[in-house]
Amino acid sequence: MFKWASLFGFKSQDVEKTITSPNGRNKCQVFLRNGQLSYKVVRDDKIIVNFSELGFNLCGESPFGKGLKLIRYVPRHHEETIELSWGEDHFIQNCYNEMAFYFAETKEPKRIFTMRFRVFDNAIAFRYEIPPQPKFQRLSVADELTEFNINLNSIVFKIPAYQPDRYEYNYEKCQVFDLKHSVHTPLTMKTPNGYFLSLHEAALYNYGSMTIKLNNKNKLQSDITPLSDGTRAHLNLPFETPWRLIMVADSAIELTTNRTMLCLNEPPRQDFSWVKTLKFIGIWWAMYVGEYTWAPGERHGASTVHAKEYIDAAVRLGISGLLIEGWNDGWEGDWLENGVNNSFTKAAPDFNLEEVAEYAKNSNIEIVGHHETVGFVDNYEKQLDAAYSYYALNGIHYVKTGYAGSQIMINGRREYHHSQLGVMHYQKTVEVAARNHICLDIHEPIKGTGIERTWPNLLSREGARGQEYEGGAISPSHACYLPYTRLLAGGMDYTNGIFDIMNSVKHISTTLTRQIAYFVTIYSGMAMAADRPYIYEERFMDVFQFIRDVPTNFERTIPLAGEIGEYYVVARQARDTGEWFVGGVTDENPRRINITLDFLNDGVYLAEIYTDSDDAHYRDNPFGHVITKKHVSKNESLDIFMASGGGFAIRLLPSQSNGA
Ligand code: NOJ
Ligand code: CA
């Protein structure tokens, strides 16, 4: 064990150390100049992050990160293949060169801390590690001063932070110097020297979530979501901050499969072999188009009768799960206002959970339970154990949660969802759910930071503007931004598969084919086919077939083509069958793309191709589609058309002899 105290006699001196990525392209230089810590990142000898300072302002203490001397540094090389139980890839590579820097202040209070840097071929990550020490066991962070000094002319693709709809905004682009307000991460950008970066964080626990602002030195800087008391976080030592993560790629499309966030999280510490990904329908969209209500009454959606009808429909449709929203006590009147007393164990008068659960079990359908907290975390936490064991007792293995409202109520105070207290609450739900062998799909969540590697029961989140905003507030470019931005933070429940596109209440701004493309372009460990079953059964079973066929767990993912906010094409191989699925989406611009099938194994595949018809258009001809079948092999390519606001989906089945 390294002994700090023995080295306290060291003199302060300037330091410059370089950590190089395994392939040699990325270099992170760490500097100590006049006792101030900073770093810089270059790729192929071109600067991507210029001199950036590190440190904290603390409440009632002198700032942290100045007046330092380097005590010791420890380099390390790491190479590992990580196996994931579910997700976009079965195996991911965790290879980096690390350097841990042990610093001490030269003057009283002579605090000590470690800065750990990891340099990957496609990312740079670092975190602060603060051990317990004399006179300093707790601290309150007034400000984290981590800078990311990115070229001011870089173009950023951003959504605003600290706004009433949390994370649910449309993406906009601007240059870094034009950033007026704090923005959420992953903050994706294109630098003037042609690289694509995304600033994000990994392993967010017990700390406020990082947003990014332009500081008064014109550098991007961490802006940690504050608590209502004005601090950013209260820490007990030892404490490790979340990883600060800079993803790096040569192209936008390459960025989309950056898995460093997962690599920076720990493996699971308990058995999660019970976790299974799921496709589900729901008593849900009927409420959005006014056919049903969440609240009890004549048109109550979540009645025992409707639940059984939907279970029967799920069986007919070949979908294994059913979400039931509005089953519990608390939806009467203005549910957004009244949710303070919601019960998570008491059902509405016309809903019998035991009966529905028994019926689902006999039909081999998984129920997805629902907890809408309306942000009243105090009320929810009081019931947490009872609520999850109630579902567990009834054989329910999946729960969707929700935190509607601009802020959450914790300890009687309004806090940001993304604050330290919010982060701790969401973590508690994941752990209580895990104890009850329940998987989660969190709506209005905190952003993903890869903790599903440690807690695989966290199968999905919303955490972006989803299809509930359709009917005017989503343009076709939105889903062309997501793969390059929000989806770098993990899977998303976008509530795919709305087929009733020209509904007068909610006109959808996509073509029909694009709705099935989403099952490939937007990964989710819990994937919803969100429309009402009768819409599928009465009108579109030919297209619905793709939703039946597409899996929710993939062996590998290969991004094929795309540009941020314009289009995205991706191929994914199913875990067990060797089948491949390809999906693509485009913005308002129709597009013809050529897909080389060289990702296939040898042999012949049957391609089932669902495309927009030549005259399709998301506004006035969204249903125009063509389904073709043909045999293909890896030496061939497919010429695919995407209409304005459209998309496509392809299933490729290996013939028996392929051995694929
Ligand atoms: C917002 C969620 O995103 C949505 O899916 C849910 O239906 C409503 N809250 C009501 O719980
Ligand atoms: Ca939402």
Side-chain angles (χ1 to χ4, degrees):
M1 259 298 269
F2 174 66
K3 296 246 180 354
W4 285 94
S6 62
L7 289 151
F8 267 34
F10 268 44
K11 278 210 176 97
S12 173
Q13 55 187 32
D14 287 356
V15 174
E16 180 178 332
K17 294 281 166 217
T18 301
I19 314 142
T20 305
S21 62
N23 70 359
R25 288 186 66 191
N26 297 331
K27 292 193 176 71
C28 180
Q29 293 164 284
V30 178
F31 306 94
L32 196 58
R33 290 189 179 160
N34 301 321
Q36 168 69 53
L37 179 59
S38 62
Y39 74 101
K40 179 179 163 184
V41 180
V42 298
R43 179 171 172 88
D44 309 327
D45 296 325
K46 295 190 193 114
I47 294 173
I48 53 175
V49 184
N50 216 331
F51 285 97
S52 301
E53 294 189 349
L54 297 166
F56 295 93
N57 282 337
L58 302 178
C59 302
E61 311 252 359
S62 52
F64 207 51
K66 298 187 190 308
L68 299 174
K69 64 184 172 186
L70 179 65
I71 305 291
R72 190 186 186 203
Y73 63 93
V74 180
R76 186 170 75 95
H77 175 72
H78 183 85
E79 257 183 69
E80 173 197 15
T81 299
I82 295 174
E83 180 173 9
L84 300 170
S85 59
W86 59 265
E88 297 176 81
D89 290 296
H90 192 168
F91 298 100
I92 57 174
Q93 297 307 316
N94 184 21
C95 301
Y96 55 81
N97 287 322
E98 176 182 284
M99 212 176 277
F101 296 88
Y102 297 82
F103 293 107
E105 291 175 332
T106 51
K107 299 202 180 109
E108 287 296 334
K110 294 197 171 175
R111 296 168 299 194
I112 55 176
F113 78 104
T114 305
M115 241 6 258
R116 190 176 301 277
F117 284 86
R118 288 185 182 166
V119 182
F120 301 77
D121 290 343
N122 60 1
I124 291 85
F126 55 85
R127 72 176 178 198
Y128 304 82
E129 300 175 358
I130 311 173
Q133 43 207 303
K135 294 185 259 173
F136 193 56
Q137 276 96 39
R138 280 203 192 100
L139 64 90
S140 296
V141 177
D143 231 337
E144 184 187 310
L145 306 171
T146 304
E147 290 181 337
F148 303 94
N149 186 3
I150 310 263
N151 188 308
L152 289 173
N153 294 310
S154 304
I155 295 169
V156 290
F157 303 89
K158 45 135 189 162
I159 52 169
Y162 310 123
Q163 298 302 308
D165 285 332
R166 307 154 302 267
Y167 217 99
E168 300 177 350
Y169 286 90
N170 287 323
Y171 285 87
E172 288 174 358
K173 58 180 172 183
C174 73
Q175 284 177 299
V176 169
F177 62 74
D178 257 344
L179 274 179
K180 302 272 182 297
H181 305 286
S182 296
V183 289
H184 279 296
T185 74
L187 180 62
T188 297
M189 56 190 84
K190 183 177 181 185
T191 66
N193 48 20
Y195 295 122
F196 290 81
L197 315 180
S198 195
L199 304 182
H200 191 43
E201 61 184 317
L204 169 61
Y205 293 101
N206 297 319
Y207 197 74
S209 162
M210 180 176 74
T211 72
I212 304 280
K213 68 176 182 193
L214 199 58
N215 68 16
N216 53 17
K217 292 183 271 170
N218 256 352
K219 295 183 191 172
L220 293 181
Q221 185 189 303
S222 58
D223 175 13
I224 306 302
T225 306
L227 291 159
S228 59
D229 67 8
T231 65
R232 311 293 172 139
H234 300 285
L235 314 181
N236 288 318
L237 304 186
F239 188 80
E240 294 163 353
T241 65
W243 290 95
R244 305 298 169 225
L245 170 61
I246 306 164
M247 293 176 250
V248 191
D250 296 327
S251 66
I253 197 74
E254 182 194 322
L255 194 59
T256 60
T257 44
N258 194 306
R259 307 283 181 235
T260 319
M261 178 186 75
L262 290 171
C263 294
L264 292 165
N265 278 272
E266 299 294 318
R269 283 186 286 268
Q270 60 196 69
D271 173 40
F272 282 100
S273 55
W274 46 271
V275 168
K276 302 273 178 293
T277 60
L278 183 77
K279 228 180 293 170
F280 61 105
I281 57 169
I283 299 186
W284 187 71
W285 194 244
M287 277 86 98
Y288 280 85
V289 292
E291 280 176 23
Y292 287 166
T293 58
W294 277 277
E298 259 175 34
R299 286 182 295 120
H300 183 214
S303 65
T304 301
V305 173
H306 290 155
K308 288 184 178 175
E309 284 168 10
Y310 268 62
I311 289 168
D312 292 344
V315 172
R316 289 195 304 274
L317 288 166
I319 299 293
S320 350
L322 170 67
L323 163 71
I324 306 176
E325 286 203 16
W327 67 277
N328 59 322
D329 195 32
W331 292 91
E332 295 82 358
D334 182 347
W335 61 268
L336 278 168
E337 289 296 320
N338 303 341
V340 62
N341 293 319
N342 279 5
S343 169
F344 301 102
T345 48
K346 188 165 171 252
D350 59 352
F351 184 77
N352 185 325
L353 181 67
E354 289 74 12
E355 191 180 331
V356 170
E358 183 65 20
Y359 192 81
K361 192 169 157 218
N362 293 335
S363 309
N364 219 2
I365 294 294
E366 295 281 354
I367 295 291
V368 180
H370 187 239
H371 293 158
E372 175 51 73
T373 69
V374 204
F376 291 106
V377 167
D378 287 334
N379 175 48
Y380 190 37
E381 287 213 355
K382 271 190 271 174
Q383 303 181 56
L384 219 46
D385 285 318
Y388 281 87
S389 33
Y390 181 47
Y391 269 145
L393 267 176
N394 281 288
I396 290 166
H397 306 117
Y398 299 86
V399 172
K400 171 182 166 182
T401 59
Y403 295 80
S406 58
Q407 288 194 300
I408 53 181
M409 189 64 96
I410 304 189
N411 301 333
R413 299 172 72 144
R414 295 179 68 77
E415 304 284 354
Y416 286 114
H417 291 64
H418 281 87
S419 66
Q420 181 190 25
L421 285 170
V423 169
M424 289 164 73
H425 164 70
Y426 286 98
Q427 184 57 27
K428 197 181 281 182
T429 65
V430 173
E431 294 181 20
V432 172
R435 273 207 296 283
N436 287 284
H437 285 202
I438 286 177
C439 299
L440 284 181
D441 171 9
I442 306 179
H443 278 230
E444 296 80 50
I446 48 164
K447 69 185 180 191
T449 60
I451 67 159
E452 61 273 26
R453 177 166 178 224
T454 317
W455 300 95
N457 64 314
L458 178 42
L459 277 178
S460 193
R461 312 169 186 245
E462 186 197 43
R465 183 165 284 204
Q467 291 213 99
E468 62 187 349
Y469 283 82
E470 279 288 6
I474 296 192
S475 75
S477 61
H478 182 59
C480 303
Y481 276 109
L482 293 173
Y484 308 94
T485 54
R486 157 67 182 81
L487 298 180
L488 298 179
M492 176 183 178
D493 179 10
Y494 191 63
T495 59
N496 309 324
I498 305 289
F499 280 12
D500 187 11
I501 286 169
M502 295 188 104
N503 189 293
S504 55
V505 185
K506 285 262 194 197
H507 189 106
I508 311 293
S509 55
T510 74
T511 63
L512 176 66
T513 319
R514 180 192 179 99
Q515 288 289 329
I516 58 169
Y518 285 155
F519 285 86
V520 189
T521 64
I522 303 177
Y523 177 72
S524 183
M526 282 174 71
M528 186 175 194
D531 215 330
R532 293 141 291 165
Y534 76 85
I535 297 287
Y536 297 133
E537 293 194 287
E538 289 173 13
R539 301 201 221 160
F540 303 107
M541 276 314 283
D542 58 341
V543 180
F544 190 82
Q545 184 61 42
F546 184 82
I547 300 182
R548 273 174 112 121
D549 297 333
V550 68
T552 46
N553 197 9
F554 292 98
E555 183 64 29
R556 66 176 66 93
T557 289
I558 303 180
L560 297 179
E563 290 298 342
I564 302 173
E566 297 176 20
Y567 70 109
Y568 175 63
V569 181
V570 63
R572 304 188 198 264
Q573 187 179 32
R575 278 265 168 126
D576 304 320
T577 58
E579 292 179 13
W580 281 88
F581 293 81
V582 187
V585 289
T586 181
D587 58 9
E588 282 84 355
N589 298 303
R591 238 171 263 275
R592 207 167 269 287
I593 56 149
N594 191 268
I595 300 171
T596 310
L597 298 173
D598 54 3
F599 51 84
L600 297 176
N601 279 11
D602 289 340
V604 176
Y605 286 75
L606 174 65
E608 298 173 351
I609 307 167
Y610 302 72
T611 55
D612 297 321
S613 60
D614 284 348
D615 59 352
H617 190 290
Y618 76 95
R619 222 176 288 120
D620 40 37
N621 186 20
F623 296 113
H625 69 276
V626 184
I627 303 176
T628 45
K629 294 189 184 189
K630 64 182 205 179
H631 286 98
V632 295
S633 66
K634 66 190 273 188
N635 308 319
E636 294 173 55
S637 63
L638 292 171
D639 199 37
I640 300 287
F641 172 69
M642 292 190 274
S644 172
F648 71 91
I650 306 172
R651 176 192 190 199
L652 292 142
L653 297 85
S655 68
Q656 291 302 329
S657 54
N658 280 6

